[in-house]
Amino acid sequence: MTTHTVDPAPLAGSWINFDTTATGIDLVDAAVDGSRLMLRITERGGPEPSQEAPEPTATPVTGATLPAVPLADDIDTTQAVAFLAEGPLGSRQAILVGYLNRGLLTIDVRTVHPTDAPIPNVMYRAHFYRLEGATPT
Protein backbone atom coordinates (compact mmCIF):
# COMPACT_ATOMS: atom_id res chain seq x y z
CA MET A 1 0.00 0.00 0.00
CA THR A 2 1.36 3.39 -0.98
CA THR A 3 1.21 6.16 1.59
CA HIS A 4 -0.19 9.43 0.26
CA THR A 5 0.64 12.82 1.66
CA VAL A 6 -2.21 15.31 1.70
CA ASP A 7 -1.19 18.70 0.33
CA PRO A 8 -2.57 21.46 2.61
CA ALA A 9 -1.93 24.24 0.04
CA PRO A 10 -5.61 24.56 -1.12
CA LEU A 11 -6.51 25.64 2.44
CA ALA A 12 -3.69 28.18 2.82
CA GLY A 13 -4.43 31.89 2.89
CA SER A 14 -6.36 34.45 4.88
CA TRP A 15 -10.03 33.67 5.47
CA ILE A 16 -12.48 36.24 6.84
CA ASN A 17 -15.88 35.57 8.44
CA PHE A 18 -18.86 36.53 6.25
CA ASP A 19 -20.85 37.58 9.33
CA THR A 20 -19.29 40.89 10.30
CA THR A 21 -21.46 41.13 13.45
CA ALA A 22 -20.85 37.65 14.90
CA THR A 23 -18.73 36.98 17.94
CA GLY A 24 -16.17 34.21 17.76
CA ILE A 25 -13.66 33.60 15.00
CA ASP A 26 -13.29 36.63 12.74
CA LEU A 27 -10.15 35.78 10.77
CA VAL A 28 -8.15 32.61 10.07
CA ASP A 29 -4.67 32.86 8.60
CA ALA A 30 -3.75 29.38 7.37
CA ALA A 31 -0.11 28.72 6.51
CA VAL A 32 1.62 25.56 5.30
CA ASP A 33 4.38 24.22 7.55
CA GLY A 34 5.74 21.05 5.93
CA SER A 35 2.78 18.69 5.60
CA ARG A 36 0.89 20.43 8.40
CA LEU A 37 -1.35 23.43 8.35
CA MET A 38 -0.93 26.13 11.00
CA LEU A 39 -3.99 28.23 11.82
CA ARG A 40 -3.57 31.68 13.36
CA ILE A 41 -6.97 32.56 14.83
CA THR A 42 -8.27 36.07 15.48
CA GLU A 43 -11.56 36.37 17.36
CA ARG A 44 -14.05 39.18 17.72
CA GLY A 45 -15.17 39.93 21.26
CA GLY A 46 -18.69 39.69 22.58
CA PRO A 47 -21.20 42.51 22.73
CA GLU A 48 -21.14 44.95 25.60
CA PRO A 49 -22.83 43.41 28.66
CA SER A 50 -26.36 44.62 29.40
CA GLN A 51 -27.66 45.40 32.88
CA GLU A 52 -29.32 41.97 32.99
CA ALA A 53 -26.22 40.05 31.87
CA PRO A 54 -23.20 39.44 34.08
CA GLU A 55 -19.79 40.77 33.07
CA PRO A 56 -18.08 38.50 30.54
CA THR A 57 -15.30 36.45 32.11
CA ALA A 58 -13.40 35.51 28.95
CA THR A 59 -11.45 38.04 26.92
CA PRO A 60 -11.23 37.88 23.13
CA VAL A 61 -8.35 35.80 21.80
CA THR A 62 -6.14 37.31 19.14
CA GLY A 63 -3.36 35.42 17.47
CA ALA A 64 -3.89 31.96 18.97
CA THR A 65 -2.07 29.43 16.79
CA LEU A 66 -3.31 25.87 16.33
CA PRO A 67 -1.74 23.07 14.30
CA ALA A 68 -4.22 21.45 11.90
CA VAL A 69 -4.23 18.11 10.14
CA PRO A 70 -5.14 18.46 6.44
CA LEU A 71 -7.72 15.98 5.19
CA ALA A 72 -8.60 14.76 1.68
CA ASP A 73 -12.05 13.61 0.57
CA ASP A 74 -10.84 10.30 -0.88
CA ILE A 75 -7.98 7.88 -0.20
CA ASP A 76 -6.61 8.44 -3.72
CA THR A 77 -6.76 12.26 -3.54
CA THR A 78 -3.73 14.29 -2.49
CA GLN A 79 -5.30 17.78 -2.26
CA ALA A 80 -6.69 18.88 1.10
CA VAL A 81 -10.35 19.86 1.25
CA ALA A 82 -10.69 19.92 5.02
CA PHE A 83 -8.80 20.12 8.30
CA LEU A 84 -9.07 19.10 11.93
CA ALA A 85 -7.51 21.25 14.66
CA GLU A 86 -7.58 20.97 18.43
CA GLY A 87 -5.98 23.08 21.12
CA PRO A 88 -6.26 26.06 23.42
CA LEU A 89 -7.97 29.32 22.53
CA GLY A 90 -7.30 31.40 25.60
CA SER A 91 -8.89 29.69 28.62
CA ARG A 92 -10.94 27.39 26.39
CA GLN A 93 -10.16 24.13 24.66
CA ALA A 94 -11.34 24.15 21.06
CA ILE A 95 -11.98 21.65 18.31
CA LEU A 96 -12.22 23.09 14.80
CA VAL A 97 -13.36 21.13 11.76
CA GLY A 98 -13.04 23.12 8.54
CA TYR A 99 -13.97 22.16 5.01
CA LEU A 100 -13.98 23.79 1.59
CA ASN A 101 -17.21 23.98 -0.36
CA ARG A 102 -17.29 25.82 -3.71
CA GLY A 103 -14.37 28.05 -2.74
CA LEU A 104 -15.71 28.95 0.70
CA LEU A 105 -14.42 27.66 4.02
CA THR A 106 -16.91 26.46 6.62
CA ILE A 107 -15.63 25.87 10.16
CA ASP A 108 -17.51 24.03 12.88
CA VAL A 109 -16.20 25.24 16.23
CA ARG A 110 -16.65 23.58 19.62
CA THR A 111 -15.23 25.20 22.74
CA VAL A 112 -15.09 23.91 26.30
CA HIS A 113 -14.16 25.84 29.43
CA PRO A 114 -12.55 23.07 31.50
CA THR A 115 -11.80 25.23 34.56
CA ASP A 116 -14.83 27.53 34.68
CA ALA A 117 -18.09 25.61 35.17
CA PRO A 118 -20.41 28.67 34.94
CA ILE A 119 -19.30 29.37 31.36
CA PRO A 120 -21.26 27.12 28.98
CA ASN A 121 -19.67 24.96 26.32
CA VAL A 122 -20.33 26.41 22.86
CA MET A 123 -20.68 25.05 19.34
CA TYR A 124 -21.20 27.16 16.25
CA ARG A 125 -20.62 27.16 12.50
CA ALA A 126 -19.03 30.06 10.63
CA HIS A 127 -18.50 30.68 6.91
CA PHE A 128 -15.39 32.35 5.52
CA TYR A 129 -14.19 33.76 2.22
CA ARG A 130 -10.61 34.40 1.10
CA LEU A 131 -9.39 37.83 2.07
CA GLU A 132 -8.02 38.21 -1.47
CA GLY A 133 -11.46 37.42 -2.90
CA ALA A 134 -14.75 39.23 -3.11
CA THR A 135 -16.18 41.05 -0.13
CA PRO A 136 -19.49 39.98 1.43
CA THR A 137 -22.66 41.85 0.56
Side-chain angles (χ1 to χ4, degrees):
M1 179 175 202
T2 305
T3 303
H4 295 285
T5 301
V6 177
D7 179 12
L11 298 168
S14 294
W15 298 90
I16 190 162
N17 194 331
F18 268 99
D19 188 348
T20 58
T21 62
T23 58
I25 297 176
D26 180 45
L27 179 67
V28 177
D29 285 312
V32 176
D33 181 15
S35 63
R36 186 159 271 216
L37 195 63
M38 297 302 291
L39 306 176
R40 184 169 171 82
I41 309 294
T42 302
E43 291 185 291
R44 193 180 292 122
E48 294 299 317
S50 67
Q51 290 180 346
E52 298 83 31
E55 290 287 327
T57 57
T59 57
V61 178
T62 301
T65 302
L66 297 175
V69 177
L71 304 168
D73 65 353
D74 188 275
I75 61 170
D76 294 324
T77 306
T78 60
Q79 297 294 308
V81 295
F83 65 79
L84 174 63
E86 185 174 358
L89 286 178
S91 64
R92 302 159 294 161
Q93 286 296 316
I95 298 172
L96 283 69
V97 178
Y99 51 94
L100 290 175
N101 185 5
R102 298 182 184 188
L104 301 178
L105 178 65
T106 298
I107 302 178
D108 292 332
V109 181
R110 179 180 181 268
T111 62
V112 175
H113 294 266
T115 59
D116 198 347
I119 299 176
N121 299 333
V122 174
M123 182 170 178
Y124 66 93
R125 175 173 289 155
H127 305 281
F128 299 81
Y129 65 96
R130 286 191 191 274
L131 191 55
E132 309 81 48
T135 57
T137 56

